[in-house]
Amino acid sequence: MRLHVADHPLITHKLTVLRDQRTPSPVFRQLTEELVTLLAYEATRNVRVSPIEIQTPVTTTTGVKISEPRPLVVPILRAGLGMLEGMVKLIPTAEVGFLGMVRNEETLEPSTYAERLPDDLSDRQCFVLDPMLATGGSLGAAIEFLFARGAQDVTAICLLGAPEGVAAIDKQVAGRDVTLVLGAMDERLNEKGYIVPGLGDAGDRLYGTV
């Protein structure tokens, strides 16, 4: 697994505002969108392209276009929805699928309750969106789901990650083509499985249900 932790003052600044418990949901949503666009820039560094010849006002030249099949963006419901707009702003031609996953707060184990994905993901580059990489259960299950559908190249984008979650994903995906892009690596998980210092429950803060 390739791990990339963003090191940019704008990302750190926006994360600082997200962490502040006084930040209201509308601001939280806007900053999440902006953060994802910044993280997506790094996450798509190896997006597949193919050459194309075009005519400029001066001459002909060769550029590139996004290759077929197009990338697939997969937000993990519900919190991942708050990251979707920032991602498709950068890759508007990408297709979008959905995975609904929920974590049992006692066992911390994930389960899938909904999915809307192509039946065959062979040769597709998949980008999974999940704000918080805590225990790694939900994200790991989502990555396994995509590989079971034939995906061969999966990139996960998270606002924050904990060392325990990163280690769990690294162990789970051994030997597979997986990239993990984080806005920041936090200190640890607490006894309830929440990231410390973290920013609380991303879904609740995105949608105002705290």
Side-chain angles (χ1 to χ4, degrees):
M1 183 184 77
R2 294 173 296 277
L3 173 64
H4 177 79
V5 181
D7 181 19
H8 193 288
L10 283 180
I11 290 175
T12 305
H13 163 67
K14 292 177 189 296
L15 279 174
T16 300
V17 181
L18 285 189
R19 293 182 192 275
D20 192 332
Q21 64 180 356
R22 298 169 298 179
T23 299
S25 290
V27 176
F28 195 96
R29 286 194 295 270
Q30 179 62 40
L31 285 174
T32 297
E33 179 182 319
E34 294 172 6
L35 269 168
V36 173
T37 300
L38 292 172
L39 294 174
Y41 180 81
E42 290 297 333
T44 56
R45 185 172 294 276
N46 294 316
V47 71
R48 295 174 194 156
V49 294
S50 52
I52 183 174
E53 187 172 280
I54 61 168
Q55 177 72 48
T56 78
V58 179
T59 186
T60 57
T61 188
T62 300
V64 298
K65 63 178 180 178
I66 303 295
S67 297
E68 296 285 345
R70 289 176 289 166
L72 180 69
V73 178
V74 184
I76 299 178
L77 304 179
R78 68 181 165 140
L81 279 177
M83 303 172 68
L84 180 59
E85 189 64 28
M87 187 73 184
V88 296
K89 275 190 173 181
L90 196 68
I91 319 179
T93 60
E95 295 181 2
V96 178
F98 298 94
L99 265 180
M101 311 200 77
V102 63
R103 184 177 74 163
N104 184 303
E105 293 302 327
E106 293 183 1
T107 66
L108 304 184
E109 293 297 318
S111 61
T112 303
Y113 65 86
E115 65 93 1
R116 180 70 69 174
L117 295 168
D119 291 333
D120 184 8
L121 297 178
S122 300
D123 204 34
R124 297 290 291 269
Q125 283 185 296
C126 299
F127 295 88
V128 183
L129 308 179
D130 194 12
M132 312 294 284
L133 173 53
T135 64
S138 295
L139 183 60
I143 292 173
E144 288 290 347
F145 198 103
L146 296 176
F147 276 112
R149 286 284 177 93
Q152 299 174 354
D153 180 348
V154 176
T155 297
I157 304 173
C158 306
L159 302 180
L160 296 177
E164 296 92 330
V166 172
I169 297 296
D170 188 33
K171 181 179 179 180
Q172 183 172 348
V173 305
R176 290 173 168 170
D177 191 355
V178 174
T179 300
L180 178 59
V181 178
L182 303 178
M185 178 81 83
D186 276 13
E187 296 173 10
R188 58 183 173 85
L189 296 180
N190 65 15
E191 64 280 359
K192 294 183 179 180
Y194 280 86
I195 298 175
V196 179
L199 49 76
D201 187 297
D204 287 345
R205 297 197 64 193
L206 277 164
Y207 303 115
T209 54
V210 169

